[in-house]
Amino acid sequence: MGIRGLAGVLFLTVAVIWYLSGLEGYKIFVPGLAQGAAMTLQITAAAAVLAVIAAITAALSKLYGPAPLRWLAITYIEVFRGTSALVQLFWLYFVLPVFGITMEAYEAAVLGIGLNIGAYGAEVVRGAIISVPRGQWEATIALNMTRAQALRRIILPQAFAAMIPPWGNLFIELLKTTALVSMITLGDLAFRAQQMNQTTMKTVQIFTLVLLIYLAMSLAITIGMRVLEHRAARGILRARAA
Amino acid sequence: MIEFPMVSFENVTKRYGALTVLDNLNLTIARGEKVAIIGPSGSGKTTVLRMLMTLETIDGGVIRVEGEPLTHMERNGQLVPADQAHTRKVRAKIGMVFQSFNLFPHMTALQNCMEAPVKVLGLSRDEAEARSTELLEMVGMSNRRDYYPSQLSGGQQQRVAIARALAMRPKVMLFDEVTSALDPELVGEVLQVIRKLGAEHDLTMLMVTHQMGFAKEFADRVCFFHSGQICEEGEPTAFFQNPQNERSRQFLRAVLEAG
């Protein structure tokens, strides 16, 4: 679906949320869910930034770092990909305090989810870097560029275009993973929904709204990434097609 | 014997696993000399250029550029493997043009030419632009300076690639089958640029080529490679008219028959 089509679906989703919010059976849940949605968005945004930084750092370390750094990156990637995000959150919030390291629930949430998605992202970044044709590296050697210059100016800009679509997937995955933070006492969208459901038993109304809100947020992510993809493709992908 | 060679290969050996690609190669190239390297595929001729550009390591022997070892450096009178700084210092004298152009697709023709002079040589943007514009002019691409590689034909891309390599002011230029990926009607424009380059500059040039006519007309010397060794070398007219070696004769016959 094109960007316009997606924008249409997003508009429709928001319109339905708006309409439902005005109805008698739904109205009372709106303030609580709005608070939850704000928390979800905040964690998503912060964790996304952390995930990108962690992914690039780990990917570069794994590809070009000296042995100790490489092993550190591999360990990070395998541990965070190989265990469940929920267990990681529990570790950060409930287990680490046993060893004297304490943090706020919000910090644990951003750290846990950011590092979890970053581990997947590291492989995305690594794959995109490897996919840049070898001839590009050879050209940088022939021009006597250093490896750092080659990476920064030639390889990463080209890899960037290739990694945008998979990052779109990861950001949506990240958004949905934030539902786990309710398990470490944070009042996100999923948490608010469960809380109100337990007291009112209005399951249909509450979870219809929650579903639509998550959908609207993930559509917004998809659209944002498509726009980015479009921009990055200029000069590179168009270049290859011609 | 060439007294102060620009480039010399001394007993250079290259292996890929059990396969010996180059076997004790000895080749000396004078300053300003144009050498054409020809031979069947798999004869190791491209490897010669790639080793000189440090795109391949070597397994034995020494390569020197203006007498200075490229893959090694002297320490306490002994040759030890070169470190990064030494390699870059010697490598700065060499430029290369590739069969598949390898232009940077996210940069325009001008940006492609300016990138390394600014980042590697530390030229100001103005200086780099002046130098690049002049070179793009020379290869007949100044009217396309703001085009991306994707918007250029193969021949145009290759001419930009030549300008890009020249912008680093190398003393030795390597041309690795630079017309092999081009449509036949575009070969001429690239050869024309190389011809001009040879006439106007005192560049040392090594080219691996399948264009026998061009090699004959352009080169000072032809080296015929076979199975990782120089089978025959000599002045082009003599070589093409009267090859001495049976393998050279076979090769030339096959190439001429193919047209």
Side-chain angles (χ1 to χ4, degrees), chain A residues 51-94:
Chain A
V52 171
I53 295 169
I56 293 174
T57 311
L60 291 179
S61 304
K62 187 170 170 181
L63 279 172
Y64 309 113
L69 208 58
R70 200 163 65 235
W71 281 107
L72 200 67
I74 291 171
T75 308
Y76 156 63
I77 293 168
E78 295 310 326
V79 166
F80 275 82
R81 275 200 314 180
T83 60
S84 105
L86 184 63
V87 175
Q88 290 157 20
L89 287 176
F90 268 57
W91 252 87
L92 289 172
Y93 192 61
F94 296 118

Side-chain angles (χ1 to χ4, degrees), chain B residues 4 25 44 47 50 142 165 177-178 181 196-197 202 213 236 246 250 259:
Chain B
F4 295 108
L25 172 72
T47 307
R50 292 177 58 84
S142 54
E177 301 194 30
V178 292
K196 196 163 143 191
L197 200 58
D202 190 32
E246 180 52 34
Q250 270 176 5

Side-chain angles (χ1 to χ4, degrees), chain A residues 15 18 23 41 61 81 92 100 107 144 161 181 203 205 207 219 239:
Chain A
W18 187 259
L23 296 184
L41 274 181
S61 304
R81 275 200 314 180
L92 289 172
E107 291 165 3
N144 215 10
V181 304
T203 310
Q205 289 86 335
F207 281 98
L219 279 169

Side-chain angles (χ1 to χ4, degrees), chain B residues 11-28:
Chain B
N11 297 314
V12 173
T13 298
K14 173 71 185 173
R15 296 185 205 92
Y16 293 116
L19 179 74
T20 301
V21 189
L22 285 171
D23 191 10
N24 271 304
L25 172 72
N26 284 290
L27 175 62
T28 310

Side-chain angles (χ1 to χ4, degrees), chain B residues 242-256:
Chain B
N242 189 18
Q244 300 299 306
N245 186 288
E246 180 52 34
R247 290 219 172 83
S248 331
R249 276 202 288 272
Q250 270 176 5
F251 176 75
L252 286 178
R253 212 177 301 136
V255 171
L256 292 177

Side-chain angles (χ1 to χ4, degrees), chain A residues 3-235:
Chain A
I3 292 174
R4 278 154 193 267
L6 285 167
V9 177
L10 175 60
F11 180 77
L12 213 68
T13 311
V14 173
V16 173
I17 295 171
W18 187 259
Y19 170 73
L20 290 177
S21 308
L23 296 184
E24 210 38 61
Y26 290 84
K27 215 184 259 173
I28 48 162
F29 303 118
V30 172
L33 291 181
Q35 274 183 355
M39 173 60 84
T40 293
L41 274 181
Q42 204 181 333
I43 296 172
T44 302
V49 172
L50 177 62
V52 171
I53 295 169
I56 293 174
T57 311
L60 291 179
S61 304
K62 187 170 170 181
L63 279 172
Y64 309 113
L69 208 58
R70 200 163 65 235
W71 281 107
L72 200 67
I74 291 171
T75 308
Y76 156 63
I77 293 168
E78 295 310 326
V79 166
F80 275 82
R81 275 200 314 180
T83 60
S84 105
L86 184 63
V87 175
Q88 290 157 20
L89 287 176
F90 268 57
W91 252 87
L92 289 172
Y93 192 61
F94 296 118
V95 180
L96 283 187
V98 176
F99 301 104
I101 302 165
T102 53
M103 58 183 98
E104 299 290 320
Y106 175 76
E107 291 165 3
V110 170
L111 197 62
I113 293 174
L115 290 179
N116 180 269
I117 298 296
Y120 290 93
E123 293 297 280
V124 166
V125 172
R126 196 175 73 94
I129 291 174
I130 291 173
S131 76
V132 175
R134 206 167 61 125
Q136 292 291 307
W137 275 110
E138 294 184 347
T140 67
I141 293 172
L143 293 170
N144 215 10
M145 295 170 81
T146 63
R147 194 152 73 173
Q149 287 169 338
L151 262 176
R152 203 167 50 239
R153 301 283 307 171
I154 309 302
I155 306 300
L156 284 179
Q158 292 182 63
F160 183 67
M163 64 175 90
I164 294 172
W167 268 110
N169 273 337
L170 285 177
F171 286 146
I172 290 171
E173 195 61 42
L174 191 159
L175 168 70
K176 294 186 294 184
T177 308
T178 58
L180 295 177
V181 304
S182 57
M183 307 300 285
I184 57 168
T185 74
L186 279 173
D188 76 316
L189 186 56
F191 177 83
R192 298 280 176 182
Q194 271 172 349
Q195 203 182 33
M196 289 189 277
N197 186 42
Q198 273 161 17
T199 52
T200 65
M201 302 300 259
K202 300 278 188 200
T203 310
V204 174
Q205 289 86 335
I206 294 169
F207 281 98
T208 302
L209 277 174
V210 168
L211 183 133
L212 289 170
I213 294 170
Y214 271 120
L215 179 62
M217 292 196 279
S218 79
L219 279 169
I221 292 174
T222 304
I223 292 169
M225 295 305 281
R226 282 291 188 85
V227 171
L228 210 59
E229 195 183 333
H230 214 69
R231 294 227 174 127
R234 260 181 242 162

Side-chain angles (χ1 to χ4, degrees), chain B:
Chain B
M1 198 60 211
I2 299 162
E3 203 171 349
F4 295 108
M6 189 69 213
V7 174
S8 58
F9 292 83
E10 298 166 11
N11 297 314
V12 173
T13 298
K14 173 71 185 173
R15 296 185 205 92
Y16 293 116
L19 179 74
T20 301
V21 189
L22 285 171
D23 191 10
N24 271 304
L25 172 72
N26 284 290
L27 175 62
T28 310
I29 295 153
R31 188 177 302 273
E33 195 179 9
K34 320 304 186 218
V35 178
I37 297 174
I38 62 172
S41 60
S43 59
K45 55 194 194 305
T46 284
T47 307
V48 174
L49 299 195
R50 292 177 58 84
M51 289 189 311
L52 187 49
M53 196 66 258
T54 69
L55 297 174
E56 306 278 353
T57 56
I58 64 174
D59 298 307
V62 182
I63 302 174
R64 288 178 194 273
V65 180
E66 291 189 308
E68 204 170 3
L70 168 72
T71 48
H72 299 72
M73 53 189 187
E74 271 161 65
R75 188 164 285 169
N76 305 328
Q78 294 210 309
L79 285 183
V80 297
D83 61 17
Q84 194 63 20
H86 177 86
T87 303
R88 292 191 70 225
K89 192 182 90 195
V90 183
R91 186 165 66 195
K93 297 172 183 173
I94 303 166
M96 184 164 181
V97 182
F98 300 88
Q99 181 177 350
S100 51
F101 328 136
N102 297 347
L103 289 179
F104 305 134
H106 57 303
M107 295 181 178
T108 63
L110 181 66
Q111 288 167 340
N112 262 281
C113 294
M114 286 173 60
E115 180 65 18
V118 171
K119 298 290 168 186
V120 178
L121 303 181
L123 262 58
S124 74
R125 298 203 69 83
D126 286 345
E127 288 171 309
E129 186 174 336
R131 184 186 284 195
S132 301
T133 307
E134 190 182 315
L135 287 165
L136 286 171
E137 182 83 41
M138 194 208 77
V139 301
M141 288 295 296
S142 54
N143 58 340
R144 294 277 194 278
R145 50 179 264 175
D146 296 322
Y147 284 47
Y148 285 94
S150 58
Q151 299 167 307
L152 302 172
S153 74
Q156 291 172 328
Q157 287 188 56
Q158 196 59 296
R159 286 187 278 151
V160 172
I162 292 172
R164 178 176 74 173
L166 290 172
M168 295 298 283
R169 300 266 160 93
K171 295 183 172 180
V172 184
M173 275 283 276
L174 312 177
F175 297 87
D176 185 14
E177 301 194 30
V178 292
T179 57
S180 295
L182 297 177
D183 291 336
E185 76 272 18
L186 302 177
V187 169
E189 64 188 65
V190 173
L191 293 184
Q192 192 55 42
V193 166
I194 298 175
R195 213 173 267 132
K196 196 163 143 191
L197 200 58
E200 289 176 10
H201 297 259
D202 190 32
L203 268 177
T204 306
M205 292 158 91
L206 264 82
M207 62 183 68
V208 170
T209 183
H210 293 296
Q211 303 283 331
M212 296 305 147
F214 185 71
K216 187 176 174 180
E217 157 216 346
F218 184 76
D220 301 315
R221 178 159 47 134
V222 175
C223 295
F224 173 73
F225 273 72
H226 192 280
S227 304
Q229 285 177 319
I230 298 178
C231 238
E232 183 171 350
E233 61 178 314
E235 193 275 320
T237 318
F239 174 82
F240 283 106
Q241 271 168 8
N242 189 18
Q244 300 299 306
N245 186 288
E246 180 52 34
R247 290 219 172 83
S248 331
R249 276 202 288 272
Q250 270 176 5
F251 176 75
L252 286 178
R253 212 177 301 136
V255 171
L256 292 177
E257 268 170 31

